[in-house]
Amino acid sequence: MIYIPPGDYSLKTRVNVDISFLTIRGSGHGFTSLSIRYNAGNTSSWNEINPGGSRIRVENTDGNAEAFRVFRTGDPRLSSIVFQNFCLDGVSFGTNQNSYVNGKTGIKFDSANDSCRVEGMGMVYLEHGLVVRDTDALSVSGNFLAECGSCIELTGSGQASKVTDNLIGAGYVGFSVFAEGHFGLLVSGNNIFPRGKSSVHFKNCTRSSITANRLHAFYPGMVNFEGACTENLVSANHFLRQMEPFDPLKPYNNGLDDLFGLVHIAGSSNTVTSNHFSYDVPQASVTPSGQTPTIILVASGNNNYIATNNTVSGIAVHTVVLDVSTSGCKVLDSGDSNQVVSYASNYAFRATP
């Protein structure tokens, strides 16, 4: 085990991890919002202005983007590496502190890995917080990852992993949680707050679950399925969609309009059930202007199942829209006949009583 005592440490060169069974542990992540600090102007009366605990300032001067890179060639793949209970602080986004861009990455697992854990970490003001590729049995739990361009990116492929019980909030340029090519991924019990361009984004994922999360966003596309996503479950989540209230960030968005859906499904045999949607956007703020916003859009695929979802909205919405390329979808108790719209001819519908 490598222990990082409480204190501030300037990291000038990338740390390369190339052995298994290693734990790097601190004594607290001490997260503090840098966005509030940078946008506050005068902080002379503040009790503290920087993160505390075991804090590493990512100040790489060696030309490498990552604070920590986990990488090794050959077999077996790296296993049982743990990052635990310290802070990675990207310090600054440069001349525009609201850009979420500085070329810095907190931790990057850059070769195949197994049974690794990231727990109790704090990450702030990094363009990419945690990037993990080709992983099995990964556990990302109990972290505070916020004010990063992207917070969690699971790339390449993976299986039997979990992202649970985290506090997450990315910037408008990136993902709160992104997963590519994953099988059996569990995304559960997270509190995901604005302002990531999506809350959870699946690309070509199968038989994975997004359950019991609280999701809050300022843009559409909160849960976004891209490519061929099959047999995934989206259940028992609370979705809240509002408008950006913070003046310095009102000019920014994720480029999607309100017809894209809060949940956007591409793929077949997925289940979206028992979710609660709170749509708190005034009619004047809907884009395109004058259109009826969409809550769940099934954009493609066969035999998707949408049932017992509840939507609360102060304006008229389409709770479910089925695009013309879909077939065999079942929409049950998720809206009345005015709220559910189908451009497909092959579907089943039962209106909410």
Side-chain angles (χ1 to χ4, degrees), residues 30-272:
F31 183 94
T32 292
S33 170
L34 300 189
S35 178
I36 293 175
R37 185 191 80 190
Y38 280 122
N39 286 287
N42 184 7
T43 57
S44 59
S45 64
W46 285 28
N47 291 302
E48 63 268 335
I49 61 172
N50 289 309
S54 301
R55 173 187 175 226
I56 292 178
R57 294 167 54 96
V58 182
E59 300 176 344
N60 295 26
T61 57
D62 61 352
N64 293 307
E66 308 88 4
F68 291 87
R69 185 191 187 212
V70 180
F71 177 82
R72 184 175 69 187
T73 59
D75 294 322
R77 59 187 169 177
L78 288 165
S79 180
S80 303
I81 296 167
V82 180
F83 292 90
Q84 191 175 68
N85 216 28
F86 61 94
C87 177
L88 289 170
D89 178 3
V91 182
S92 172
F93 285 133
T95 56
N96 178 5
Q97 297 295 357
N98 296 318
S99 72
Y100 295 97
V101 175
N102 60 8
K104 298 179 181 180
T105 298
I107 302 170
K108 185 174 185 178
F109 288 78
D110 211 10
S111 61
N113 57 90
D114 191 6
S115 304
C116 294
R117 292 184 286 144
V118 180
E119 301 174 335
M121 295 290 293
M123 298 187 194
V124 63
Y125 264 52
L126 300 157
E127 187 170 339
H128 300 275
L130 174 66
V131 181
V132 186
R133 76 174 181 90
D134 300 339
T135 186
D136 287 359
L138 171 73
S139 177
V140 181
S141 184
N143 301 285
F144 199 116
L145 311 178
E147 298 177 8
C148 295
S150 287
C151 291
I152 299 171
E153 298 165 274
L154 310 181
T155 65
S157 63
Q159 63 177 344
S161 294
K162 67 184 183 77
V163 177
T164 57
D165 301 313
N166 299 285
L167 297 162
I168 304 171
Y172 55 88
V173 301
F175 305 100
S176 293
V177 178
F178 172 85
E180 176 184 30
H182 267 254
F183 170 84
L185 174 65
L186 175 62
V187 180
S188 184
N190 300 287
N191 200 329
I192 302 179
F193 40 86
R195 46 191 58 84
K197 68 179 180 181
S198 63
S199 300
V200 182
H201 189 117
F202 278 4
K203 181 178 181 180
N204 300 327
C205 291
T206 186
R207 296 176 178 169
S208 296
S209 298
I210 303 170
T211 58
N213 300 283
R214 186 260 184 178
L215 312 173
H216 182 196
F218 298 145
Y219 324 122
M222 295 174 66
V223 168
N224 189 354
F225 285 6
E226 178 187 357
C229 290
T230 59
E231 297 184 50
N232 298 292
L233 172 67
V234 181
S235 183
N237 301 286
H238 187 286
F239 292 80
L240 171 60
R241 162 81 161 94
Q242 293 183 307
M243 296 300 296
E244 171 66 70
F246 190 42
D247 285 338
L249 288 162
K250 285 182 178 179
Y252 305 103
N253 59 62
N254 67 351
L256 300 175
D257 64 35
D258 290 296
L259 303 182
F260 189 84
L262 299 188
V263 175
H264 185 96
I265 300 297
S268 298
S269 302
N270 299 288
T271 294
V272 182

Side-chain angles (χ1 to χ4, degrees), residues 12-35:
K12 302 296 186 181
T13 60
R14 180 176 68 190
V15 178
N16 293 293
V17 177
D18 60 359
I19 58 171
S20 294
F21 321 123
L22 172 69
T23 295
I24 303 175
R25 176 182 297 158
S27 285
H29 67 64
F31 183 94
T32 292
S33 170
L34 300 189
S35 178

Side-chain angles (χ1 to χ4, degrees), residues 244-318:
E244 171 66 70
F246 190 42
D247 285 338
L249 288 162
K250 285 182 178 179
Y252 305 103
N253 59 62
N254 67 351
L256 300 175
D257 64 35
D258 290 296
L259 303 182
F260 189 84
L262 299 188
V263 175
H264 185 96
I265 300 297
S268 298
S269 302
N270 299 288
T271 294
V272 182
T273 183
S274 302
N275 299 283
H276 179 96
F277 296 93
S278 298
Y279 190 83
D280 184 18
V281 176
Q283 186 65 57
S285 298
V286 172
T287 57
S289 179
Q291 297 295 307
T292 301
T294 298
I295 304 301
I296 301 171
L297 173 63
V298 184
S300 65
N302 307 318
N303 303 314
N304 288 293
Y305 181 75
I306 316 294
T308 61
N309 297 286
N310 184 49
T311 300
V312 177
S313 174
I315 64 172
V317 297
H318 289 149

